[in-house]
Every structure is written in C-alpha cells, then in structure tokens.
Amino acid sequence: ARCEAGAPRLARLDEIERAAVHDLELSCEAVRADPAQRPFVRRAPFTVGASVAVTAVSAAVFLLLGDDVFSLVAAGALGRELCAGEGAWWRLGTAMLLHGGWMHLALNITSALVVGAVYEQRAGSVRTVITALGGGFLASLASVLTGTPVGVGASGAVMGLVGGVLSLLLLERHRFSQADRRQWLAMIGLTVAANALIGAAEPDAVDNAAHAGGLAGGFLIAALLRPRRVETEVTRGTRRLAAGILLGLLGGGVAEASLALPLWLGRRTAHVDGARAELPTWLRRAEESEGGFLGRPPLPFAMQMGRWSPDAPNPPALLRRLAASGIDVSPAWTAAAAERRVEGDVDVEELLFFPPPGHDVRDMPSVRVVTLVRRGAFATVALPASDEGERAFGSVLRGLAHTLESQAPAVRGAGGKPR
C-alpha cells in the first residue's frame, strides 16, 4: 500500500510496526530446524573450524616439541612471569590453542563441540566468535592476575560458551523448548559444580580463576550481544568488527609465538663469572649481585655457573632460586642418594633433594641437583627428578658436559691437578 502511494520502498516503521516485526522474528527463531536437514558443519561452522584448528596446533606441538612444561612455554603458554614480567601479553591468546596432553585436548574439544554448537545455532557465528574468544581472553587474563605459573588450554573459551548458553537460557527463553531449557540448566549447573569441586580438590591441576573468568565473561558478553528490537547494518557491522578484532589479536599472538620459538630453541656461547659454555638462548642471567645464577621463571629449572673453587657450588642457594620459579622448595628438604663419578674430563656429582615427610609437592616430588666440574669451571643445575624433567632439560646438561670451561687459569686442586 505504501509503494502504491509513492512512499519510499524502505519503510520507516512506527513503534507498533517495529514491535510486530520483532515478535515475528522471535517466532521464527523459536521454530527449531530439523537437525537432519543440515550437516553439523553448516549448523556450527565456527565451532567446528575452531575445534579443528586447536586440535591441529596442539597435536603439532605434541609431535614436534613435546608436552612437557618447557615445550608448552616455548610454544606460547601463559604465566604471570611471562606475561606481566616479560610483557608477552600475546600469550593470553596462544595459550588457548595449547593443551597439557592428549586427554586434556580431547576433553576440551568434546566440550567445545557440544556447547558451541548449541550456542552457535541460536546466536549465529559472529556472536559465537565474540563470546568464545572474548571469554577465552578474559579467562587467560584472570589466570595471569591470580598468579598461575604456567597455564594452557581452551577451557576458558569453552566456559565462555557455557556462559553464553546460560545467558540465552535466562534472558532469551524463546530460543529453547521447555524440556531443552530444563535439561540445559541442569547440565550447566552440574558442570559448574563439578568444576568447582575438582578445582578445590586439585588446585594445581585445574585453573579455577580461568574457568570462573571465562564463565562470567561469556555470560556478560552474550548478554550484551542480545538482539535489539531494531537490527541495523551499524549494529551488525559493529559485531563483525569486534569479531574481526578478536580474531586478529589471536592471529597476531600466533605470529608472535612463531617468531619467538627459534629464540627458545637456539643456543649461544655464554660467559658467566669466569666460565663459558654453550647454553640455550632461553636461559637468562639473574641480578649481578646474586652471582652466576641463571634461569627463566616459571620454568622449574635453575643454574649456577662460574670459575671452580672448593666452596663455589652452592646447592642451597640454587634451591632458593628454584623456589623463585614457583616450585615449593624449602630449607627443610633433605639431600640423599649422593653420587659421584667421572665421565671423560668431567667430574659429576648428583644429589636428590626430597621433601620432608607429610609435605605434598605434586608437580615435583623431588629435585635433582647436578654439579659438573670441567677445565677449571663448574655448573650446578637444579631440575625436576622425573622423566619429564630429563626430557625438557637433559639437553642442557649434555651441552654443559661438552663445552664448559674456565676463561681464566685453572685452580689447582690436590696433587697439582687442574680442576
């Protein structure tokens, strides 16, 4: 009727007409499509694509680098010292692409596919990008602010999607049937309760701050993204811009991680307190006033190096340096199982430090301290006494055994032999 009267073809609706159109849109959204009519990939393209990408990145790190703490930190894990201390804030994004093992990866991907598909079918792909990545970034930030030493996993983004589904259940009830709504509210309640209980029982294995930050962030983001009565190109364009910015931040983090990885895997000749040796490029010198100590928090590794003298190696001081990396090492630990041997021109002494009875250190039940003396120089290394510690840091010991030497005339020990 308007067109016939010569009115503009783009109708300018009054308040009653806008309300009627909005009601019509809600009715259309409430009609559930038959899942068999569309493949799963078409129903949730971002969820499926993101799950495939995360699986590919995590699997590549497992197969090419490993799943030990050093490999994860080198590939882009987050941590308080790494982000706040070194300014590597790009790790807030890359940590979402990494996992602590195959089981961790499988659990997160399965959860993402289930929850993400439910949210994306009802909210659309653009809103899903914003909710998942926004929740994931907020979860990573919460993890850093609460002092997590090393954190990886997509669980923050998954909890963001859980928060998004919860927002739909509470604020947009028309998107679910009554039976589905009751079922999903029960499932989310059980999920949140289970995460809280497991996190309380295993605080070292479960990042409670990341889960809570992702859940709260996803809920708030989804609430802000609720459709308004009038959807304009401006609001749609704003959402697309926000999604693009978040994807760009994640892509920039991946690029930064790719550029930083060679620095973690390289080697250099280091000169420390009258000694020199081939050391990994990731090792850094501590403050000059503390002597020849090296390390890289939050890695569970510390090292002392210098010109040899009878009182130069200082294992207790090295354990204190290890404690600065977040490892619970106290003076009450006792040394045992001392071993001395000679390998070629290297004198080797190994000590195992055990925690006192009743002291629970789950991530490092004991500490291995190895002192190498070669050509007038010494190096004392503290690392986890475990297979993972050997895989992550054994190459450092092997490199020291071949390259350690003094930069000054050797100190002569008993019998006039140089040490």
Side-chain angles (χ1 to χ4, degrees):
R2 290 188 177 195
C3 290
E4 290 174 356
R9 292 184 179 276
L10 179 61
R12 301 185 183 279
L13 307 181
D14 58 29
E15 289 296 325
I16 296 178
E17 289 170 328
R18 279 202 295 270
V21 171
H22 183 67
D23 290 339
L24 181 60
E25 289 176 343
L26 295 184
S27 300
C28 293
E29 291 173 349
V31 177
R32 300 178 64 197
D34 183 3
Q37 294 179 355
R38 287 188 297 164
F40 183 75
V41 174
R42 291 187 59 188
R43 282 181 275 143
F46 171 74
T47 299
V48 174
S51 298
V52 171
V54 171
T55 301
V57 172
S58 294
V61 172
F62 293 158
L63 297 174
L64 298 177
L65 297 179
D67 59 357
D68 55 79
V69 64
F70 169 76
S71 300
L72 295 176
V73 169
L78 61 80
R80 177 182 56 190
E81 293 290 339
L82 296 165
C83 294
E86 299 183 9
W89 292 104
W90 48 268
R91 292 177 178 272
L92 298 181
T94 55
M96 292 187 281
L97 306 176
L98 304 172
H99 289 82
W102 291 104
M103 183 60 70
H104 187 203
L105 173 63
L107 289 173
N108 275 344
I109 294 301
T110 302
S111 302
L113 288 171
V114 173
V115 180
V118 171
Y119 185 75
E120 189 167 359
Q121 280 182 264
R122 291 162 172 79
S125 297
V126 175
R127 288 188 178 93
T128 305
V129 173
I130 300 172
T131 303
L133 294 186
F137 276 112
L138 290 174
S140 295
L141 182 61
S143 183
V144 171
L145 294 180
T146 53
T148 299
V150 179
V152 292
S155 55
V158 173
M159 292 301 288
L161 291 171
V162 172
V165 173
L166 182 61
S167 176
L168 295 182
L169 290 166
L170 298 179
L171 305 178
E172 300 184 55
R173 301 186 177 191
H174 62 277
R175 296 183 183 274
F176 296 85
S177 67
Q178 272 197 333
D180 284 349
R181 185 170 178 274
R182 285 195 298 269
Q183 180 183 6
W184 275 102
L185 282 173
M187 288 178 62
I188 290 176
L190 288 173
T191 299
V192 173
N195 270 276
L197 290 175
I198 296 173
E202 299 284 347
D204 295 330
V206 178
D207 196 336
N208 300 303
H211 289 178
L215 180 66
F219 182 89
L220 294 174
I221 291 170
L224 292 173
L225 294 176
R226 290 178 62 197
R228 300 295 181 259
R229 285 191 175 273
V230 181
E231 283 285 305
T232 66
E233 280 301 319
V234 174
T235 56
R236 295 188 186 96
T238 302
R239 283 200 300 268
R240 287 193 286 267
L241 176 62
I245 291 174
L246 290 172
L247 287 170
L249 289 174
L250 181 59
V254 172
E256 288 279 0
S258 301
L259 294 175
L261 186 58
L263 301 178
W264 284 86
L265 302 179
R267 301 186 69 83
R268 75 186 194 282
T269 300
H271 302 264
V272 180
D273 284 9
R276 62 171 171 256
E278 289 289 323
L279 296 179
T281 51
W282 54 265
L283 269 174
R284 292 185 175 178
R285 178 77 180 265
E287 292 79 2
E288 290 298 329
S289 59
E290 296 188 22
F293 292 101
L294 301 98
R296 187 73 175 271
L299 292 176
F301 181 93
M303 175 178 168
Q304 184 188 13
M305 174 178 160
R307 188 179 177 215
W308 185 86
S309 65
D311 56 349
N314 192 344
L318 196 61
L319 292 181
R320 289 193 291 271
R321 293 295 308 172
L322 193 61
S325 301
I327 306 303
D328 188 4
V329 181
S330 71
W333 284 40
T334 56
E339 178 186 354
R340 292 181 176 85
R341 63 182 183 272
V342 177
E343 297 179 355
D345 60 347
V346 183
D347 291 342
V348 182
E349 181 182 43
E350 288 199 29
L351 292 173
L352 285 180
F353 281 82
F354 297 97
H359 188 77
D360 185 17
V361 184
R362 300 176 186 178
D363 59 338
M364 185 183 291
S366 58
V367 177
R368 178 185 175 202
V369 177
V370 182
T371 299
L372 307 177
V373 179
R374 179 179 184 266
R375 298 185 181 180
F378 81 94
T380 302
V381 174
L383 68 161
S386 63
D387 292 339
E388 180 179 353
E390 178 61 29
R391 289 196 307 270
F393 308 112
S395 61
V396 181
L397 290 173
R398 291 188 290 273
L400 286 169
H402 290 93
T403 62
L404 180 66
E405 62 182 3
S406 174
Q407 294 179 271
V411 177
R412 295 193 172 272
K417 294 183 180 180
R419 295 293 307 271

